[in-house]
């Protein structure tokens, strides 16, 4: 289990979760909002980066607008003894942005999850077929994205608590 | 989108500095004025290319629990179900997908028991049986890379 966040860290997270302030001095603005010094903000963010609590800070780009129009979640059923190797193989495809092993359910046997991106739906199909052939996994489902229902930054601190 | 826009997008995604005036640092690096950079960023944001400026956080390392969940809902009920699922601040992304399990969503919460409670409430609200809802927490992460390199021919 990770350490609990300190009071100062929670104040910073409460602001950071909604994104950086839209200003040319975002960290200074965060400091004003959190009633802290800019140096304190930068020190905590630098520490979080070192600890990999922050994976990345900067622009969140809408990739549907930079040419990748089609995305599908593909779920695969892989024998448990092969899943580590297959997961790594699938992750090596550049069109695969996410690859996870997940728990299964009684009525849902799929244990490997990939997000596959391409410019068109047909292209997505072709890449999925390629992955299937290369990794020798024939039991899969393609779950096309029909519509984005909600996309918000995660809310860690609710109502400032 | 011209070559400078692409350089800006890549710098904003991969090299955004933790310093007092991060945008001025990027402008300096790219050899343009701070004002020009800011004008271009504003335009890219207005066009929706830049969704927002922010941090991608590792919820587990911050001490939180997360899961991917799905419900199986008749097509006629999708809008109401999307509303029920979406009203939880702990639900971050939700997509309508082409499958028997058609609404997929991620939950981030302080602990597992909160996730279980949210899923129980959603199941009760939607009046669906246990076999119409899936809770699929991560066992192992192989790859997470939601970054995309930009090139000038992108629109």
């Amino acid at each position: 289990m990770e350490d609990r966040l300190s009071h100062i860290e929670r104040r910073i997270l409460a602001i950071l979760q909604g994104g950086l302030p839209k200003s040319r001095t975002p960290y200074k603005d965060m400091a004003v909002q959190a009633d802290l010094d800019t140096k304190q903000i930068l020190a905590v963010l630098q520490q979080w980066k070192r600890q990999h609590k922050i994976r990345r800070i900067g622009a969140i780009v809408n990739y549907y607008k930079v040419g990748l129009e089609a995305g599908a979640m593909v779920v695969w059923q892989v024998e448990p003894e092969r899943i580590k190797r297959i997961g790594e193989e699938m992750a090596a495809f550049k069109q695969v942005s996410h690859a996870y092993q997940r728990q299964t359910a009684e009525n849902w046997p799929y244990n490997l999850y990939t997000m596959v991106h391409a410019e068109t739906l047909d292209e997505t199909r072709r890449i999925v077929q390629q992955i299937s052939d290369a990794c020798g996994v024939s039991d899969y489902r393609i779950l096309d994205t029909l519509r984005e229902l909600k996309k918000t930054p995660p809310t860690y601190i609710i109502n400032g608590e | 989108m011209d070559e400078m826009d692409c350089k800006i997008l890549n710098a904003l995604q991969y090299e955004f500095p933790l310093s007092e005036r991060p945008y001025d640092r990027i402008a300096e690096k790219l050899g343009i004025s701070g004002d020009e950079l800011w004008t271009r960023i504003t335009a890219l944001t207005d066009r929706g290319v830049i969704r927002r400026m922010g941090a991608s956080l590792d919820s587990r390392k911050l001490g939180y629990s997360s899961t991917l969940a799905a419900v199986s809902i008749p097509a006629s009920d999708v809008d109401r179900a999307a509303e029920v699922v979406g009203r939880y601040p702990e639900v971050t992304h939700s997509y309508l997908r082409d499958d028997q399990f058609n609404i997929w969503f991620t939950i981030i919460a302080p602990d597992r028991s909160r996730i279980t409670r949210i899923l129980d409430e959603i199941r009760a609200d939607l009046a669906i049986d246990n076999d119409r809802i899936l809770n699929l927490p991560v066992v192992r992460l192989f790859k997470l890379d939601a970054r995309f390199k930009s090139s000038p021919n992108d629109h």
Side-chain angles (χ1 to χ4, degrees):
Chain A
M1 196 59 211
E2 304 294 325
D3 296 342
R4 285 268 158 212
L5 296 173
S6 73
H7 183 61
I8 284 182
E9 286 179 313
R10 291 179 65 83
R11 267 148 75 189
I12 294 174
L13 184 56
I15 298 168
L16 188 64
Q17 66 185 1
L20 291 175
K22 292 180 186 71
S23 115
R24 285 164 77 161
T25 52
Y27 306 119
K28 194 173 139 197
D29 288 30
M30 280 179 72
V32 172
Q33 280 182 52
D35 198 19
L36 298 166
D37 295 337
T38 310
K39 281 193 170 55
Q40 282 176 293
I41 299 274
L42 288 172
V44 168
L45 295 183
Q46 265 146 10
Q47 192 193 4
W48 283 358
K49 237 181 150 173
R50 274 197 306 276
Q51 297 170 333
H52 304 290
K53 288 175 179 165
I54 293 179
R55 290 197 190 97
R56 193 172 66 77
I57 193 158
I60 316 291
V61 168
N62 184 351
Y63 48 84
Y64 288 100
K65 299 252 165 145
V66 294
L68 294 169
E69 306 283 346
M73 184 169 79
V74 187
V75 298
W76 312 79
Q77 189 178 348
V78 182
E79 303 86 322
E81 60 276 16
R82 287 212 303 156
I83 196 163
K84 186 166 183 294
R85 191 169 55 78
I86 299 294
E88 285 163 1
E89 276 179 38
M90 288 188 185
F93 279 81
K94 73 171 194 306
Q95 299 92 341
V96 170
S97 64
H98 299 63
Y100 293 99
Q101 180 184 348
R102 293 186 178 279
Q103 280 179 29
T104 55
E106 230 171 88
N107 51 340
W108 192 259
Y110 305 96
N111 51 1
L112 188 56
Y113 289 66
T114 54
M115 286 300 308
V116 178
H117 300 274
E119 290 181 17
T120 63
L121 216 58
D122 284 350
E123 178 75 1
T124 309
R125 293 282 182 284
R126 204 180 54 75
I127 293 160
V128 171
Q129 187 61 54
Q130 250 179 39
I131 296 174
S132 166
D133 292 345
C135 301
V137 184
S138 53
D139 204 347
Y140 64 88
R141 288 165 98 101
I142 302 177
L143 287 78
D144 288 317
T145 309
L146 299 180
R147 186 150 50 100
E148 187 178 280
L149 300 171
K150 179 180 184 182
K151 184 153 187 154
T152 51
T155 309
Y156 290 94
I157 313 288
I158 298 169
N159 301 327
E161 291 189 11
Chain B
M1 207 157 84
D2 64 11
E3 208 182 321
M4 183 53 73
D5 280 342
C6 294
K7 283 186 183 165
I8 290 169
L9 272 189
N10 288 332
L12 289 181
Q13 287 186 89
Y14 306 109
E15 298 157 31
F16 192 73
L18 284 169
S19 68
E20 292 243 5
R21 302 192 67 88
Y23 295 99
D24 291 350
R25 290 268 293 271
I26 287 177
E28 212 174 295
K29 221 171 175 174
L30 297 177
I32 57 175
S33 71
D35 286 344
E36 184 186 348
L37 176 68
W38 195 248
T39 306
R40 283 175 176 269
I41 289 174
T42 306
L44 287 167
T45 307
D46 289 346
R47 280 164 52 203
V49 176
I50 297 174
R51 220 185 248 275
R52 62 191 186 93
M53 295 297 295
S56 159
L57 300 165
D58 186 324
S59 58
R60 192 183 56 82
K61 289 209 165 89
L62 284 167
Y64 286 75
S65 297
S66 69
T67 197
L68 175 71
V71 288
S72 170
I73 297 292
S76 57
D77 259 2
V78 158
D79 287 338
R80 193 180 75 86
E83 193 272 313
V84 166
V85 167
R87 69 181 171 217
Y88 290 91
E90 291 92 341
V91 170
T92 64
H93 301 48
S94 142
Y95 292 96
L96 182 64
R97 297 195 181 282
D98 186 14
D99 193 84
Q100 166 215 338
F101 282 96
N102 47 355
I103 297 182
W104 288 76
F105 50 102
T106 48
I107 306 177
I108 296 179
D111 49 52
R112 287 262 154 252
S113 63
R114 175 67 189 149
I115 289 179
T116 310
R117 230 184 66 212
I118 290 172
L119 289 174
D120 284 345
E121 285 176 15
I122 288 175
R123 192 167 52 80
D125 257 358
L126 298 178
I128 54 174
D129 291 336
N130 241 327
D131 60 358
R132 304 258 305 274
I133 187 163
L134 298 173
N135 179 12
L136 308 162
V138 168
V139 174
R140 188 174 1 213
L141 168 66
F142 294 109
K143 185 180 193 179
L144 194 168
D145 181 17
R147 301 174 301 181
F148 296 92
K149 279 277 186 194
S150 305
S151 54
N153 57 349
D154 296 341
H155 47 101

